[in-house]
């Protein structure tokens, strides 16, 4: 459900009649209590409340009656209304989590809605996937190894917090060499401290590993957030350290790194040597929209090391392409940015010809009104279609 006028009375009648309904998404800032009461008898397995305010007293009771519920999402707007009672939200969300924790297999939640201690104190026997978004909780930070200590079934952990104008300490994943980690297969962490001890204790069964740099996009677009607090990408030395660390992961098939500088052929050589089974590789430069340089390397210098990755199917890579947009002061009626026509087609085909298993290739590009979504840059991508000796590229954007 999107944020449009809704006749609640009609939904009261309609929703219970949908016999096969098991997944419901609300994209509403305010949730009418009558609508919530209408969905409580439905045997829903997944409920998502996206960009919502949670100072709603009836919500814990409604969710407690959903015996089939196994997946729950609770997220907030990037910019929140000043009249929200955040203390009440904390209490209501904590009550919700304590009520449904025993049966949840997947939880997505904004860090703005909880304290780390709340997650750490609750038992989550069935939780398979935890995805944390928004901002780092405002409470005193705890290492994530402590937060997830009561999640024995956890396999997928996404700590995708965004840096913002509010000064909150970045996530510490591991601060104690003796800490125990669950048997994770998929791990994503944003704005990671360089000194985090995780680098020496990566779960051995990881198949997907992502180190990201995330920031509030609304501040960038309105020019109010010039210096997000603790927005951290990997410098050259730390990028090499992490690649050497993931070389010890025998099952790794997907790697994503956000870098301070665009990837060099040296980094690609080390990745190809350390991660020979990779199927997906994503290398993004942080704040690439400010980079107007042209690469000092030829395309062939990027292709050569990657050609060693025989299983590679998807490649998203930052390559310096010069100006993304040119300011046109003579445009009418107002001055605008005009896109530079970069010759992506020939670059895509070069990669496709030298990486015969590749199905998707994408280069980072400034997202100036190209794709609606929370990113300042997007992947200008091509789907590679092969027929006998012919190669064609179907172009699209990946937010």
């Amino acid at each position: 459900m999107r944020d449009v006028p809704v006749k609640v009375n009609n939904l009261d009648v309609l929703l219970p009649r949908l016999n096969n309904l098991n997944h419901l998404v609300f994209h509403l800032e305010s949730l009418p209590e009558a609508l919530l009461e209408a969905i409580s008898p439905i045997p829903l397995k997944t409920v998502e409340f996206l960009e919502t305010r949670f100072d709603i007293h009836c919500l814990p009771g409604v969710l407690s009656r959903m015996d089939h519920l196994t997946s729950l999402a609770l997220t907030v707007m990037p910019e929140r209304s000043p009249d929200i009672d955040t203390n009440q939200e904390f209490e209501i969300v904590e009550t919700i989590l304590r009520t449904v924790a025993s049966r949840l297999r997947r939880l997505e939640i904004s860090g703005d809605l909880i304290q780390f201690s709340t997650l750490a104190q609750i038992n989550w026997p069935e939780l398979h996937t935890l995805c944390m978004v928004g901002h780092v909780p405002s409470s005193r930070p705890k290492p994530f190894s402590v937060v997830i200590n009561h999640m024995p079934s956890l396999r997928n952990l996404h700590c995708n917090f965004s840096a913002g104008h509010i000064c909150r300490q970045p996530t510490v994943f591991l601060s104690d060499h003796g800490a125990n980690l669950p048997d994770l297969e998929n791990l994503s962490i944003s704005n990671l401290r360089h000194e985090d001890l995780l680098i020496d204790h990566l779960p051995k069964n990881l198949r997907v590993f992502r180190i990201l740099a995330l920031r509030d996009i609304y501040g960038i677009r309105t020019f109010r957030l010039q210096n997000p607090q603790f927005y951290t990408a990997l410098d050259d030395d730390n990028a090499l350290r992490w690649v050497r660390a993931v070389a010890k992961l025998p099952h790794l098939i997907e790697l994503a790194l956000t870098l301070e500088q665009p990837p060099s052929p040296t980094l690609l050589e080390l990745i190809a040597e350390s991660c020979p089974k990779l199927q997906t590789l994503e290398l993004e430069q942080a704040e690439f929209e400010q980079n107007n340089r042209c690469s000092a390397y030829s395309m062939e210098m990027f292709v050569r090391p990657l050609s060693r990755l025989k299983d590679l199917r998807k490649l998203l890579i930052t390559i310096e392409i010069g100006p993304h947009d040119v300011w046109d002061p003579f445009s009418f009626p107002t001055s605008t940015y005009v896109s530079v026509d970069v010759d992506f087609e020939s670059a895509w085909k070069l990669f496709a010809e030298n990486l015969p298993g590749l199905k998707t290739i994408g280069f980072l590009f400034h997202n100036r009104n190209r794709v609606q979504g929370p990113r300042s840059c997007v992947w200008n991508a091509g789907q590679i279609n092969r027929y006998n000796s012919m190669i064609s590229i179907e172009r699209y954007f990946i937010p």
Side-chain angles (χ1 to χ4, degrees), residues 262-265 268 295-307 315 317-320 351 355:
S264 65
L268 298 183
S295 178
Y297 308 107
S298 67
M299 285 291 178
E300 288 79 7
M301 295 179 72
F302 294 103
V303 171
R304 193 176 302 118
L306 292 174
S307 63
L315 174 64
I317 184 171
T318 306
I319 295 178
E320 292 174 315
F351 278 87
L355 283 74

Side-chain angles (χ1 to χ4, degrees), residues 36-37 40-42 58 60-68 103:
L36 292 173
E37 293 294 344
S40 62
I42 303 173
C58 73
V62 169
L63 293 175
S64 69
R65 296 193 291 274
M66 295 183 179
D67 296 332
H68 296 79
R103 58 181 182 270

